[in-house]
Structures are given as C-alpha cells and as structure tokens.
Amino acid sequence: MRPGLRRALDKDKPLEALIDQLERTKASIRAKVEHPFRGIKQQFGYVKVHYRGLKKNTAQLVTLFALGNLWMARKKLLEVMGQVRAQGA
C-alpha cells in the first residue's frame, strides 16, 4: 500500500486497523529481504552487471552476498573479537 493511503487509514475502525497491521508486517519482511541488496549496492558498488559468463557472474554475486553478510554482522563480530582478546590478555 502506498504510504499516503496507509496514513489515511482510520486506525479506530477494526478493518482498517487490521489492514494497517498487515501492511506493517509486510514492510518488516520486505526490509529484511531488501537490506542485503542495499549493502551490496551502496557499500560494494555493485550497480550494473557486466556479462562475463554465468559462472563468473554467479561467483561474484555469491562473494558479494557473503561479504554483505559479514558487513551486516560486523558489530557483533567486533564484540566477539573484543571478548576473545580480553580473555586472552
């Protein structure tokens, strides 16, 4: 649903409140799916695909998604590394 239509919903009406809750659920799922693509495009500059063959393009995408996962988990990884270093000292 478009944001303007969603804002226009009357949350006091049960049906429209249910529609708003459904849209909120869909948006949260969509955000989880779209977030890795944002990282790959913005952080790693992968905007346009140059055809180099299916195997090479697939390998590059797999690598970029692996890097994207590391990039999104970097705070947790740094915390774990800090704990490991503190135990070793």
Side-chain angles (χ1 to χ4, degrees):
M1 180 178 282
R2 307 286 298 184
L5 290 175
R6 188 165 166 238
R7 273 193 300 271
L9 290 175
D10 185 9
K11 282 27 170 227
D12 294 332
K13 295 180 181 177
L15 180 62
E16 292 188 12
L18 184 64
I19 291 171
D20 185 57
Q21 186 178 8
L22 176 68
E23 291 298 322
R24 185 179 298 265
T25 304
K26 288 192 312 188
S28 73
I29 293 169
R30 186 176 293 123
K32 289 174 188 166
V33 172
E34 293 293 331
H35 198 77
F37 290 99
R38 181 250 175 224
I40 289 172
K41 287 181 173 185
Q42 297 294 318
Q43 299 304 118
F44 303 114
Y46 192 77
V47 181
K48 211 176 223 188
V49 177
H50 299 285
Y51 182 74
R52 297 182 182 109
L54 291 176
K55 286 185 179 180
K56 287 182 181 179
N57 281 351
T58 302
Q60 184 181 16
L61 279 174
V62 168
T63 304
L64 285 173
F65 274 106
L67 285 171
N69 286 336
L70 289 173
W71 182 78
M72 288 190 296
R74 68 191 182 281
K75 289 181 183 177
K76 291 178 186 175
L77 291 172
L78 288 172
E79 287 175 7
V80 170
M81 289 300 294
Q83 292 171 358
V84 169
R85 286 186 185 158
Q87 290 175 355

Coordinates of all heavy atoms in Angstrom, one line a residue:
M1 N 0.8 -1.2 0.0 CA 0.0 0.0 0.0 C 0.9 1.2 0.0 O 1.9 1.3 0.7 CB -0.9 0.0 1.2 CG -1.8 1.2 1.3 SD -2.9 1.1 2.8 CE -4.1 -0.1 2.2
R2 N 0.5 2.2 -0.7 CA 1.3 3.5 -0.8 C 1.2 4.2 0.6 O 0.2 4.1 1.3 CB 0.7 4.4 -1.9 CG 0.5 3.8 -3.3 CD 1.8 3.6 -4.0 NE 2.4 4.9 -4.2 CZ 3.5 5.1 -4.9 NH1 4.1 4.1 -5.4 NH2 4.1 6.3 -5.0
P3 N 2.3 4.9 0.9 CA 2.3 5.5 2.3 C 1.2 6.5 2.5 O 0.7 6.5 3.6 CB 3.7 6.2 2.3 CG 4.5 5.5 1.3 CD 3.6 5.0 0.2
G4 N 0.8 7.2 1.5 CA -0.2 8.2 1.7 C -1.6 7.5 2.0 O -2.3 8.0 2.8
L5 N -1.9 6.4 1.3 CA -3.1 5.7 1.6 C -3.0 5.0 3.0 O -4.1 5.0 3.7 CB -3.3 4.6 0.6 CG -3.6 5.1 -0.9 CD1 -3.7 3.9 -1.8 CD2 -5.0 5.8 -0.8
R6 N -1.9 4.6 3.4 CA -1.7 4.0 4.7 C -2.0 5.0 5.8 O -2.6 4.7 6.8 CB -0.4 3.3 4.9 CG -0.3 2.5 6.1 CD 0.9 1.6 6.1 NE 1.1 1.1 7.4 CZ 2.2 1.2 8.1 NH1 3.3 1.8 7.5 NH2 2.3 0.8 9.3
R7 N -1.4 6.2 5.6 CA -1.6 7.3 6.6 C -3.1 7.7 6.7 O -3.6 8.1 7.8 CB -0.8 8.5 6.3 CG 0.6 8.5 6.8 CD 1.3 9.8 6.7 NE 1.4 10.3 5.3 CZ 2.4 10.0 4.5 NH1 3.4 9.3 4.9 NH2 2.4 10.5 3.3
A8 N -3.8 7.6 5.6 CA -5.2 8.0 5.6 C -6.1 7.0 6.2 O -7.3 7.3 6.5 CB -5.7 8.2 4.1
L9 N -5.6 5.8 6.6 CA -6.5 4.8 7.2 C -6.9 5.3 8.6 O -6.1 5.9 9.3 CB -5.7 3.5 7.4 CG -5.4 2.7 6.1 CD1 -4.6 1.5 6.4 CD2 -6.7 2.2 5.4
D10 N -8.1 5.0 9.0 CA -8.6 5.3 10.3 C -8.3 4.1 11.2 O -9.0 3.1 11.1 CB -10.1 5.6 10.2 CG -10.7 6.1 11.6 OD1 -9.9 6.3 12.5 OD2 -11.9 6.2 11.7
K11 N -7.4 4.3 12.1 CA -6.9 3.1 13.0 C -8.0 2.7 14.0 O -7.9 1.7 14.6 CB -5.7 3.5 13.7 CG -4.3 3.5 13.0 CD -4.3 3.7 11.6 CE -2.9 3.8 11.1 NZ -2.7 4.9 10.2
D12 N -9.1 3.6 14.2 CA -10.1 3.3 15.1 C -11.1 2.2 14.5 O -11.8 1.5 15.3 CB -10.9 4.5 15.5 CG -10.0 5.5 16.3 OD1 -9.1 5.0 17.0 OD2 -10.2 6.7 16.2
K13 N -11.1 2.1 13.2 CA -12.0 1.1 12.6 C -11.3 -0.2 12.6 O -10.1 -0.3 12.2 CB -12.4 1.5 11.2 CG -13.2 2.8 11.1 CD -13.6 3.2 9.7 CE -14.4 4.4 9.6 NZ -14.6 4.9 8.2
P14 N -12.0 -1.3 13.0 CA -11.3 -2.6 13.1 C -10.7 -3.1 11.8 O -9.6 -3.6 11.7 CB -12.4 -3.6 13.6 CG -13.5 -2.7 14.1 CD -13.3 -1.4 13.4
L15 N -11.4 -3.0 10.7 CA -10.9 -3.5 9.4 C -9.7 -2.7 8.9 O -8.7 -3.3 8.5 CB -12.0 -3.4 8.3 CG -11.6 -3.9 6.9 CD1 -11.2 -5.3 7.0 CD2 -12.7 -3.6 5.9
E16 N -9.7 -1.4 9.1 CA -8.6 -0.5 8.7 C -7.4 -0.7 9.6 O -6.3 -0.6 9.1 CB -9.0 0.9 8.6 CG -10.0 1.1 7.4 CD -10.3 2.6 7.2 OE1 -9.7 3.5 7.7 OE2 -11.3 2.8 6.4
A17 N -7.7 -1.0 10.9 CA -6.6 -1.3 11.8 C -5.9 -2.6 11.4 O -4.7 -2.7 11.5 CB -7.1 -1.4 13.2
L18 N -6.7 -3.6 11.0 CA -6.1 -4.9 10.5 C -5.3 -4.7 9.2 O -4.3 -5.3 9.1 CB -7.3 -5.8 10.3 CG -6.9 -7.3 9.9 CD1 -6.1 -7.9 11.0 CD2 -8.1 -8.1 9.6
I19 N -5.8 -3.9 8.3 CA -5.1 -3.6 7.1 C -3.7 -2.9 7.4 O -2.7 -3.3 6.9 CB -5.9 -2.7 6.1 CG1 -7.1 -3.5 5.6 CG2 -5.1 -2.2 5.0 CD1 -8.1 -2.7 4.8
D20 N -3.8 -2.0 8.4 CA -2.5 -1.3 8.8 C -1.5 -2.3 9.4 O -0.3 -2.3 9.1 CB -2.8 -0.2 9.8 CG -1.6 0.6 10.1 OD1 -0.9 1.2 9.2 OD2 -1.2 0.7 11.3
Q21 N -2.0 -3.2 10.2 CA -1.2 -4.2 10.8 C -0.6 -5.1 9.8 O 0.6 -5.5 9.8 CB -2.0 -5.0 11.8 CG -1.1 -6.0 12.6 CD -2.0 -6.7 13.7 OE1 -3.2 -6.6 13.7 NE2 -1.3 -7.5 14.5
L22 N -1.4 -5.5 8.8 CA -0.9 -6.3 7.7 C 0.2 -5.6 6.9 O 1.2 -6.2 6.6 CB -2.1 -6.7 6.8 CG -1.7 -7.5 5.5 CD1 -1.2 -8.9 5.9 CD2 -2.9 -7.6 4.6
E23 N 0.0 -4.3 6.6 CA 1.0 -3.6 5.9 C 2.3 -3.4 6.7 O 3.4 -3.5 6.1 CB 0.4 -2.2 5.5 CG -0.7 -2.2 4.5 CD -0.3 -2.8 3.1 OE1 0.9 -2.5 2.7 OE2 -1.1 -3.5 2.5
R24 N 2.2 -3.3 8.0 CA 3.4 -3.2 8.8 C 4.1 -4.5 8.8 O 5.4 -4.5 8.7 CB 2.9 -2.9 10.2 CG 4.1 -2.6 11.2 CD 3.5 -2.3 12.6 NE 2.7 -1.1 12.6 CZ 3.2 0.1 12.8 NH1 4.5 0.3 13.2 NH2 2.4 1.2 12.8
T25 N 3.4 -5.6 8.8 CA 4.1 -6.9 8.7 C 4.8 -7.1 7.4 O 5.9 -7.6 7.3 CB 3.0 -8.1 9.0 OG1 2.4 -7.8 10.2 CG2 3.7 -9.4 8.9
K26 N 4.1 -6.8 6.3 CA 4.7 -6.9 5.0 C 6.0 -6.0 4.9 O 7.0 -6.4 4.3 CB 3.7 -6.5 3.9 CG 2.6 -7.5 3.7 CD 1.8 -7.3 2.4 CE 1.3 -6.0 2.2 NZ 0.4 -5.8 1.1
A27 N 5.9 -4.8 5.4 CA 7.0 -3.9 5.4 C 8.2 -4.4 6.2 O 9.4 -4.3 5.7 CB 6.6 -2.5 5.9
S28 N 8.0 -5.1 7.3 CA 9.1 -5.6 8.1 C 9.8 -6.8 7.3 O 11.0 -6.9 7.3 CB 8.7 -6.0 9.5 OG 7.9 -7.2 9.4
I29 N 9.0 -7.6 6.7 CA 9.6 -8.7 5.9 C 10.3 -8.1 4.7 O 11.4 -8.6 4.4 CB 8.4 -9.7 5.4 CG1 7.9 -10.4 6.6 CG2 9.0 -10.7 4.4 CD1 6.6 -11.1 6.3
R30 N 9.7 -7.2 4.0 CA 10.4 -6.6 2.9 C 11.7 -5.9 3.3 O 12.7 -6.0 2.5 CB 9.5 -5.5 2.2 CG 10.0 -5.0 0.9 CD 9.0 -4.0 0.3 NE 7.8 -4.8 -0.1 CZ 6.5 -4.5 0.3 NH1 6.3 -3.5 1.1 NH2 5.5 -5.2 -0.2
A31 N 11.8 -5.3 4.4 CA 13.0 -4.6 4.8 C 14.1 -5.7 5.1 O 15.3 -5.4 4.7 CB 12.7 -3.8 6.1
K32 N 13.8 -6.8 5.7 CA 14.8 -7.8 5.9 C 15.3 -8.4 4.6 O 16.5 -8.8 4.5 CB 14.2 -9.0 6.7 CG 13.9 -8.5 8.2 CD 13.2 -9.6 8.9 CE 12.8 -9.1 10.3 NZ 11.8 -9.9 11.0
V33 N 14.5 -8.5 3.6 CA 14.9 -9.0 2.3 C 15.7 -8.0 1.5 O 16.7 -8.3 0.9 CB 13.6 -9.5 1.5 CG1 14.0 -9.9 0.1 CG2 13.0 -10.7 2.2
E34 N 15.3 -6.7 1.6 CA 16.0 -5.7 0.8 C 17.3 -5.2 1.4 O 18.1 -4.7 0.7 CB 15.0 -4.5 0.6 CG 13.8 -4.9 -0.3 CD 14.2 -5.2 -1.8 OE1 15.2 -4.6 -2.2 OE2 13.4 -5.9 -2.4
H35 N 17.5 -5.4 2.7 CA 18.7 -4.8 3.3 C 20.0 -5.3 2.7 O 20.9 -4.6 2.5 CB 18.6 -5.0 4.8 CG 19.5 -4.1 5.6 ND1 19.2 -2.8 5.8 CD2 20.7 -4.4 6.1 CE1 20.2 -2.3 6.5 NE2 21.1 -3.2 6.7
P36 N 20.1 -6.6 2.5 CA 21.4 -7.1 1.9 C 21.7 -6.5 0.5 O 22.8 -6.2 0.2 CB 21.2 -8.6 1.8 CG 20.1 -9.0 2.8 CD 19.3 -7.8 2.8
F37 N 20.6 -6.2 -0.3 CA 20.8 -5.6 -1.6 C 21.4 -4.2 -1.4 O 22.2 -3.8 -2.2 CB 19.6 -5.7 -2.4 CG 19.2 -7.0 -2.8 CD1 18.2 -7.7 -2.1 CD2 19.8 -7.6 -3.9 CE1 17.8 -9.0 -2.5 CE2 19.4 -8.9 -4.3 CZ 18.4 -9.6 -3.6
R38 N 20.9 -3.5 -0.4 CA 21.4 -2.1 -0.2 C 22.9 -2.2 0.1 O 23.6 -1.4 -0.4 CB 20.6 -1.5 1.0 CG 21.0 -0.1 1.3 CD 21.7 -0.1 2.6 NE 22.3 1.2 2.9 CZ 23.5 1.4 3.4 NH1 24.3 0.4 3.6 NH2 23.9 2.6 3.6
G39 N 23.3 -3.1 1.0 CA 24.7 -3.2 1.3 C 25.6 -3.5 0.1 O 26.6 -2.9 -0.1
I40 N 25.1 -4.4 -0.7 CA 25.9 -4.8 -1.9 C 26.0 -3.6 -2.9 O 27.0 -3.3 -3.4 CB 25.3 -6.0 -2.6 CG1 25.5 -7.2 -1.7 CG2 25.8 -6.2 -4.0 CD1 24.8 -8.5 -2.2
K41 N 24.9 -2.9 -3.0 CA 24.9 -1.8 -4.0 C 25.7 -0.6 -3.4 O 26.5 0.0 -4.1 CB 23.5 -1.4 -4.4 CG 22.8 -2.4 -5.2 CD 21.4 -1.9 -5.6 CE 20.8 -2.8 -6.6 NZ 19.5 -2.3 -7.0
Q42 N 25.4 -0.2 -2.2 CA 26.0 1.0 -1.7 C 27.4 0.8 -1.2 O 28.3 1.6 -1.4 CB 25.1 1.6 -0.5 CG 23.8 2.0 -0.9 CD 23.8 3.2 -1.9 OE1 24.5 4.1 -1.6 NE2 22.9 3.1 -2.9
Q43 N 27.7 -0.3 -0.4 CA 29.0 -0.5 0.2 C 30.0 -1.0 -0.8 O 31.2 -0.7 -0.8 CB 28.9 -1.4 1.4 CG 28.0 -0.9 2.5 CD 28.4 0.5 3.0 OE1 27.7 1.4 2.9 NE2 29.6 0.6 3.5
F44 N 29.5 -1.9 -1.7 CA 30.5 -2.6 -2.6 C 30.4 -2.1 -4.1 O 31.1 -2.6 -4.9 CB 30.3 -4.1 -2.5 CG 30.5 -4.6 -1.1 CD1 29.4 -5.2 -0.4 CD2 31.7 -4.5 -0.5 CE1 29.6 -5.6 0.8 CE2 31.9 -5.0 0.8 CZ 30.8 -5.5 1.5
G45 N 29.5 -1.2 -4.4 CA 29.4 -0.6 -5.7 C 28.9 -1.5 -6.8 O 29.1 -1.2 -7.9
Y46 N 28.1 -2.5 -6.4 CA 27.6 -3.4 -7.4 C 26.3 -2.9 -7.9 O 25.2 -3.2 -7.4 CB 27.4 -4.8 -6.8 CG 27.2 -5.9 -7.8 CD1 28.2 -6.4 -8.6 CD2 25.9 -6.4 -8.0 CE1 28.0 -7.4 -9.6 CE2 25.7 -7.4 -9.0 CZ 26.7 -7.9 -9.7 OH 26.5 -8.9 -10.6
V47 N 26.3 -2.1 -9.0 CA 25.1 -1.5 -9.5 C 24.7 -2.1 -10.8 O 23.6 -2.4 -11.1 CB 25.2 0.1 -9.6 CG1 24.0 0.7 -10.1 CG2 25.6 0.6 -8.3
K48 N 25.7 -2.2 -11.7 CA 25.4 -2.7 -13.0 C 26.2 -4.0 -13.3 O 27.4 -4.1 -12.9 CB 25.9 -1.7 -14.1 CG 25.1 -1.7 -15.3 CD 25.6 -0.5 -16.2 CE 24.4 0.2 -16.8 NZ 24.8 1.2 -17.8
V49 N 25.6 -5.0 -13.9 CA 26.2 -6.3 -14.1 C 26.9 -6.2 -15.5 O 26.2 -5.9 -16.5 CB 25.2 -7.4 -14.1 CG1 25.9 -8.8 -14.4 CG2 24.5 -7.5 -12.8
H50 N 28.1 -6.6 -15.6 CA 28.8 -6.7 -16.8 C 28.9 -8.2 -17.1 O 29.4 -9.0 -16.3 CB 30.3 -6.2 -16.8 CG 30.3 -4.7 -16.5 ND1 29.9 -3.7 -17.4 CD2 30.5 -4.0 -15.3 CE1 30.0 -2.5 -16.8 NE2 30.4 -2.7 -15.6
Y51 N 28.4 -8.6 -18.2 CA 28.3 -10.1 -18.5 C 29.7 -10.6 -18.8 O 30.4 -10.2 -19.7 CB 27.4 -10.3 -19.7 CG 27.2 -11.8 -20.0 CD1 26.5 -12.6 -19.1 CD2 27.9 -12.4 -21.0 CE1 26.3 -14.0 -19.4 CE2 27.8 -13.7 -21.3 CZ 27.0 -14.5 -20.4 OH 26.9 -15.9 -20.7
R52 N 30.1 -11.5 -17.9 CA 31.4 -12.2 -18.0 C 31.2 -13.7 -18.2 O 32.2 -14.4 -18.1 CB 32.3 -11.9 -16.8 CG 32.6 -10.4 -16.7 CD 33.5 -10.2 -15.4 NE 33.7 -8.8 -15.3 CZ 33.2 -8.1 -14.3 NH1 32.4 -8.6 -13.4 NH2 33.5 -6.8 -14.2
G53 N 30.0 -14.1 -18.3 CA 29.7 -15.6 -18.2 C 29.0 -15.9 -17.0 O 29.1 -15.2 -16.0
L54 N 28.1 -16.9 -17.1 CA 27.2 -17.2 -15.9 C 28.0 -17.6 -14.7 O 27.7 -17.2 -13.6 CB 26.2 -18.3 -16.3 CG 25.2 -17.8 -17.4 CD1 24.3 -19.0 -17.7 CD2 24.3 -16.7 -16.8
K55 N 29.1 -18.4 -14.9 CA 29.8 -18.9 -13.7 C 30.5 -17.7 -13.0 O 30.5 -17.6 -11.8 CB 30.8 -19.9 -14.1 CG 30.2 -21.3 -14.5 CD 31.3 -22.3 -14.7 CE 30.6 -23.6 -15.1 NZ 31.6 -24.7 -15.3
K56 N 31.1 -16.8 -13.8 CA 31.9 -15.7 -13.2 C 30.9 -14.7 -12.5 O 31.2 -14.2 -11.4 CB 32.7 -15.0 -14.2 CG 33.9 -15.7 -14.6 CD 34.8 -14.9 -15.6 CE 36.0 -15.7 -16.1 NZ 36.8 -15.0 -17.0
N57 N 29.8 -14.4 -13.1 CA 28.8 -13.5 -12.5 C 28.2 -14.1 -11.3 O 28.0 -13.4 -10.3 CB 27.7 -13.2 -13.5 CG 28.1 -12.1 -14.5 OD1 29.2 -11.5 -14.4 ND2 27.3 -11.9 -15.5
T58 N 27.9 -15.4 -11.3 CA 27.4 -16.1 -10.1 C 28.4 -16.1 -9.0 O 28.1 -15.9 -7.8 CB 27.0 -17.5 -10.5 OG1 26.0 -17.5 -11.5 CG2 26.4 -18.3 -9.3
A59 N 29.6 -16.4 -9.3 CA 30.7 -16.4 -8.3 C 30.8 -15.0 -7.7 O 31.0 -14.9 -6.4 CB 32.0 -16.8 -8.9
Q60 N 30.8 -14.0 -8.5 CA 30.9 -12.6 -7.9 C 29.7 -12.3 -7.0 O 29.9 -11.7 -5.9 CB 31.0 -11.6 -9.1 CG 31.2 -10.2 -8.6 CD 31.2 -9.2 -9.7 OE1 30.8 -9.4 -10.8 NE2 31.7 -8.0 -9.3
L61 N 28.5 -12.7 -7.4 CA 27.3 -12.4 -6.6 C 27.4 -13.2 -5.3 O 27.1 -12.6 -4.2 CB 26.1 -12.8 -7.3 CG 25.5 -11.7 -8.3 CD1 24.3 -12.3 -9.0 CD2 25.2 -10.5 -7.5
V62 N 27.8 -14.4 -5.3 CA 27.9 -15.2 -4.1 C 29.0 -14.6 -3.2 O 28.7 -14.5 -1.9 CB 28.3 -16.7 -4.4 CG1 28.7 -17.5 -3.2 CG2 27.2 -17.4 -5.1
T63 N 30.1 -14.1 -3.7 CA 31.1 -13.5 -2.9 C 30.6 -12.2 -2.3 O 30.8 -11.9 -1.1 CB 32.4 -13.2 -3.8 OG1 32.8 -14.4 -4.3 CG2 33.5 -12.6 -3.0
L64 N 29.9 -11.4 -3.1 CA 29.4 -10.1 -2.6 C 28.3 -10.3 -1.5 O 28.3 -9.6 -0.5 CB 28.8 -9.3 -3.8 CG 29.8 -8.6 -4.7 CD1 29.1 -8.0 -5.9 CD2 30.6 -7.6 -3.9
F65 N 27.5 -11.4 -1.6 CA 26.5 -11.6 -0.6 C 27.2 -12.1 0.7 O 26.8 -11.8 1.8 CB 25.4 -12.6 -1.1 CG 24.3 -11.9 -1.8 CD1 24.2 -12.0 -3.1 CD2 23.4 -11.2 -1.1 CE1 23.1 -11.4 -3.8 CE2 22.3 -10.5 -1.7 CZ 22.2 -10.6 -3.1
A66 N 28.2 -12.9 0.5 CA 29.0 -13.3 1.7 C 29.6 -12.1 2.4 O 29.6 -12.0 3.6 CB 30.1 -14.3 1.3
L67 N 30.2 -11.2 1.6 CA 30.8 -10.0 2.2 C 29.7 -9.1 2.8 O 29.9 -8.5 3.9 CB 31.5 -9.2 1.1 CG 32.9 -9.7 0.7 CD1 33.4 -9.0 -0.5 CD2 33.9 -9.6 1.8
G68 N 28.5 -9.1 2.1 CA 27.4 -8.3 2.7 C 27.0 -8.9 4.0 O 26.6 -8.1 5.0
N69 N 26.9 -10.2 4.2 CA 26.6 -10.8 5.5 C 27.6 -10.4 6.5 O 27.2 -10.1 7.7 CB 26.5 -12.3 5.3 CG 25.2 -12.7 4.6 OD1 24.2 -12.0 4.6 ND2 25.3 -13.9 4.0
L70 N 28.9 -10.5 6.2 CA 29.9 -10.1 7.1 C 29.8 -8.6 7.5 O 29.9 -8.2 8.6 CB 31.3 -10.3 6.6 CG 31.7 -11.8 6.5 CD1 33.0 -11.9 5.8 CD2 31.8 -12.4 7.9
W71 N 29.5 -7.8 6.5 CA 29.4 -6.3 6.7 C 28.2 -6.0 7.7 O 28.3 -5.2 8.6 CB 29.2 -5.6 5.4 CG 29.1 -4.1 5.6 CD1 30.1 -3.2 5.7 CD2 27.9 -3.3 5.5 NE1 29.6 -2.0 5.8 CE2 28.3 -2.0 5.7 CE3 26.5 -3.6 5.4 CZ2 27.4 -1.0 5.7 CZ3 25.6 -2.6 5.4 CH2 26.1 -1.3 5.6
M72 N 27.1 -6.7 7.5 CA 25.9 -6.5 8.4 C 26.1 -7.0 9.8 O 25.6 -6.5 10.7 CB 24.6 -7.1 7.8 CG 24.1 -6.4 6.5 SD 22.5 -6.9 6.0 CE 22.8 -8.5 5.5
A73 N 27.0 -8.0 9.9 CA 27.2 -8.6 11.2 C 28.5 -8.1 11.9 O 29.0 -8.6 12.9 CB 27.3 -10.1 11.1
R74 N 29.1 -7.0 11.3 CA 30.4 -6.5 11.8 C 30.4 -6.1 13.2 O 31.4 -6.3 13.9 CB 30.9 -5.4 10.9 CG 30.1 -4.1 11.0 CD 30.5 -3.1 9.9 NE 29.8 -1.9 10.0 CZ 28.5 -1.7 9.6 NH1 27.8 -2.7 9.1 NH2 27.9 -0.5 9.8
K75 N 29.3 -5.5 13.7 CA 29.3 -5.1 15.1 C 29.3 -6.3 16.1 O 30.1 -6.3 17.0 CB 28.0 -4.2 15.4 CG 28.1 -2.9 14.7 CD 26.8 -2.1 15.1 CE 26.9 -0.7 14.3 NZ 25.7 0.0 14.6
K76 N 28.6 -7.3 15.8 CA 28.6 -8.5 16.6 C 29.9 -9.2 16.5 O 30.4 -9.6 17.5 CB 27.5 -9.4 16.1 CG 26.1 -9.0 16.4 CD 25.0 -9.9 15.9 CE 23.7 -9.4 16.1 NZ 22.6 -10.2 15.5
L77 N 30.5 -9.2 15.3 CA 31.8 -9.8 15.2 C 32.9 -9.1 16.0 O 33.8 -9.7 16.6 CB 32.2 -9.9 13.7 CG 31.4 -10.9 12.9 CD1 31.7 -10.8 11.4 CD2 31.6 -12.3 13.3
L78 N 32.8 -7.8 15.9 CA 33.8 -7.0 16.7 C 33.7 -7.1 18.2 O 34.6 -7.2 18.9 CB 33.7 -5.5 16.3 CG 34.2 -5.1 14.9 CD1 33.9 -3.7 14.5 CD2 35.7 -5.4 14.8
E79 N 32.4 -7.3 18.6 CA 32.2 -7.5 20.1 C 32.8 -8.9 20.5 O 33.4 -9.0 21.5 CB 30.7 -7.5 20.4 CG 30.1 -6.1 20.3 CD 28.5 -6.2 20.5 OE1 28.0 -7.3 20.8 OE2 27.9 -5.2 20.4
V80 N 32.6 -9.9 19.6 CA 33.1 -11.2 20.0 C 34.6 -11.2 20.0 O 35.3 -11.7 20.8 CB 32.6 -12.3 18.9 CG1 33.3 -13.6 19.1 CG2 31.1 -12.5 19.1
M81 N 35.2 -10.5 19.0 CA 36.7 -10.3 18.9 C 37.2 -9.6 20.2 O 38.3 -10.0 20.7 CB 37.1 -9.6 17.7 CG 36.9 -10.4 16.4 SD 37.9 -12.0 16.4 CE 39.5 -11.3 16.3
G82 N 36.5 -8.6 20.6 CA 36.9 -7.9 21.8 C 36.9 -8.8 23.1 O 37.7 -8.8 23.9
Q83 N 35.8 -9.7 23.1 CA 35.7 -10.6 24.3 C 36.8 -11.7 24.2 O 37.4 -12.0 25.2 CB 34.4 -11.3 24.2 CG 33.2 -10.4 24.5 CD 31.9 -11.0 24.3 OE1 31.8 -12.2 23.9 NE2 30.8 -10.3 24.6
V84 N 37.2 -12.1 23.0 CA 38.2 -13.1 22.9 C 39.6 -12.5 23.3 O 40.4 -13.1 24.0 CB 38.3 -13.6 21.4 CG1 39.6 -14.5 21.2 CG2 37.1 -14.5 21.1
R85 N 39.8 -11.3 22.8 CA 41.1 -10.6 23.2 C 41.1 -10.3 24.7 O 42.2 -10.4 25.3 CB 41.2 -9.3 22.5 CG 41.5 -9.5 21.0 CD 41.8 -8.2 20.3 NE 42.0 -8.4 18.9 CZ 41.9 -7.5 18.0 NH1 41.5 -6.3 18.3 NH2 42.1 -7.8 16.7
A86 N 40.0 -10.0 25.3 CA 40.0 -9.8 26.8 C 40.3 -11.0 27.6 O 41.0 -11.0 28.6 CB 38.6 -9.2 27.2
Q87 N 39.8 -12.2 27.1 CA 40.1 -13.4 27.7 C 41.5 -13.9 27.6 O 42.1 -14.5 28.5 CB 39.2 -14.5 27.2 CG 37.7 -14.3 27.6 CD 36.8 -15.4 26.9 OE1 37.3 -16.2 26.1 NE2 35.5 -15.4 27.3
G88 N 42.1 -13.5 26.4 CA 43.5 -13.9 26.2 C 44.5 -13.1 26.9 O 45.6 -13.4 27.1
A89 N 44.1 -11.9 27.3 CA 45.1 -10.9 27.9 C 45.3 -11.3 29.4 O 44.7 -12.0 30.1 CB 44.5 -9.5 27.8

